[in-house]
Amino acid sequence: MTLSPAQKSAALTSTEQTSTEQTSTEQTLAEQAPCSSKRLLIVVLAAGESKRFEGVKLAQLIPSLSATGISEQAIISTHVERLQQLYCQDLDLERQETPSLQHSSLLIILGAHQPILQPLLAELHSRQPFDILVNPQWQTGLASSVSLAASYVKEQGFDAMLLTLADQVALSVEDYRQLILMWHKTGKEVAAHYLDDLGVPAIFNASTLPLFTHLSGDRGAKSILKQQAQQGALVAITLPSAAIDIDTQADLASWLALKE
């Protein structure tokens, strides 16, 4: 999805305006949500060719927020490190026990540029291990990666999976916390709502995974999200930052300019 600079600016501004509200929401959910022993798999989809970018998009350097003092990191490394931070933070799902995401795991699905991207993740993997799967059918489109993730969830006995795109560069740790806390609270599927539509990042329960076998080509999970919403089985959370992803060199330049 390519947004105009004006749309991206609006999304970024909206994200900043809602940060205080999100913090308040997270605190309320943390107080209400019961402790859950359910296992959640966080899946980062990073198998695409990024043909429109005319280069290895996820290897592009962006300003780093790493505590290691690194000034720039590849897009994929920055996103994965952000997700790893979830494991180090206390979700406070039940104040008496204050568990962290000990029942969650992280999976990265690579494909077209695996020989380039996997070495970029080596240091992060050494700090806090995660799984990597290579999608041999990445040429057939996004649906093959989503289906691969769903199969992995079933085989490994996870209760749900959180899908996110590696190029959703504006998502924060707080955004993910909000999704996960809502899932713990309601037990329903949870999806981001932005640009008047549902999308990823989103959490799908294991019972929904058979629906992913019907996807093909570049169809992601949007149709499933809409179906679940119509059945009242989904909760939507406003996440303006999810609207910002990188498809072209111009997208990256516009986003970096908005951050300055």
Side-chain angles (χ1 to χ4, degrees), residues 135-254:
N135 178 8
Q137 298 180 321
W138 61 264
Q139 301 97 327
T140 63
L142 180 63
S144 62
S145 290
V146 174
S147 178
L148 183 63
S151 296
Y152 185 89
V153 168
K154 181 179 179 180
E155 291 168 2
Q156 298 299 318
F158 286 93
D159 296 286
M161 69 174 176
L162 188 162
L163 283 183
T164 187
L165 303 176
D167 65 352
Q168 288 183 297
V169 292
L171 288 170
S172 66
V173 174
E174 287 70 28
D175 291 330
Y176 287 112
R177 278 169 47 86
Q178 190 175 5
L179 286 169
I180 294 169
L181 289 172
M182 183 61 77
W183 174 65
H184 274 285
K185 177 187 177 183
T186 66
K188 295 183 177 182
E189 259 103 25
V190 184
H193 184 268
Y194 50 93
L195 300 179
D196 297 321
D197 204 357
L198 296 171
V200 296
I203 299 177
F204 300 89
N205 287 316
S207 58
T208 303
L209 299 186
L211 297 176
F212 287 86
T213 61
H214 302 294
L215 299 178
S216 61
D218 279 322
R219 292 177 61 203
K222 191 178 293 291
S223 61
I224 295 175
L225 291 175
K226 290 182 177 180
Q227 178 179 331
Q228 295 301 97
Q230 291 172 354
Q231 296 176 356
L234 179 143
V235 179
I237 294 179
T238 301
L239 291 182
S241 56
I244 301 173
D245 62 6
I246 305 298
D247 287 327
T248 66
Q249 295 275 358
D251 287 343
L252 180 59
S254 297

Side-chain angles (χ1 to χ4, degrees), residues 32-54:
Q32 296 176 350
C35 177
S36 172
S37 60
K38 290 185 177 181
R39 299 174 66 227
L40 174 68
L41 179 68
I42 301 174
V43 181
V44 181
L45 301 177
E49 186 178 8
S50 59
K51 180 180 287 187
R52 293 174 59 196
F53 191 84
E54 299 180 346

